[in-house]
């Protein structure tokens, strides 16, 4: 009765969720649509933040499961890279081109 209850959430679930959302955030960071850029940046930032938080949650509950740790860190890295890309795009849009354009835009298209 006095013992703390263990967490019964499978650690692979948030790790997989982190990778999937990290891929979405990374893809959204590659392309800036000419219309509705604000909504695009907001959704990409939301996906990136949830990816990083889910990956961190999986790292916390995975204990010694090496595969889950690797999968979680891949999701955290992808989500973090997507967030950095989106912040860079937001700075370019807010400053009206005063901030240098991202180096990946010539290859990704608009």
């Amino acid at each position: 009765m006095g013992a703390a209850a263990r967490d019964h959430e499978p650690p692979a679930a948030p790790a997989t969720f982190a990778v999937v959302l990290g891929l979405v955030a990374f893809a959204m960071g590659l392309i800036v649509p000419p219309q509705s850029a604000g909504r695009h940046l907001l959704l990409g930032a939301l996906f990136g933040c949830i990816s990083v938080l889910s990956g961190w949650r999986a790292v916390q509950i995975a204990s010694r499961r090496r595969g889950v740790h690797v999968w979680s860190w891949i999701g955290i890295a992808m989500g973090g890279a997507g967030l950095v890309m989106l912040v860079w795009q937001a700075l370019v849009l807010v400053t009206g081109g005063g901030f240098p354009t991202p180096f990946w835009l010539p290859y990704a298209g608009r």
Side-chain angles (χ1 to χ4, degrees), residues 25-26 28-32 37 40-41 44-45 79-106 110:
F26 188 80
M28 292 183 90
L30 281 177
I31 300 169
V32 178
H40 172 83
L41 292 173
L83 285 172
V84 168
M85 294 163 77
L86 288 163
V87 167
W88 193 335
Q89 290 176 5
L91 287 172
V92 170
L93 290 173
V94 167
T95 60
F99 198 77
T101 59
F103 61 88
W104 62 87
L105 277 184
R110 283 186 171 224

Side-chain angles (χ1 to χ4, degrees), residues 18-80:
V19 170
V20 170
L21 288 181
L23 286 171
V24 171
F26 188 80
M28 292 183 90
L30 281 177
I31 300 169
V32 178
Q35 299 171 354
S36 70
R39 183 174 12 171
H40 172 83
L41 292 173
L42 182 66
L43 283 174
L46 180 69
F47 290 150
C49 288
I50 292 174
S51 170
V52 170
L53 292 174
S54 293
W56 189 251
R57 173 72 179 146
V59 166
Q60 287 179 341
I61 63 175
S63 66
R64 295 182 182 179
R65 296 181 180 118
R66 184 178 281 290
V68 173
H69 278 276
V70 170
W71 200 238
S72 300
W73 283 109
I74 289 171
I76 290 170
M78 297 280 297

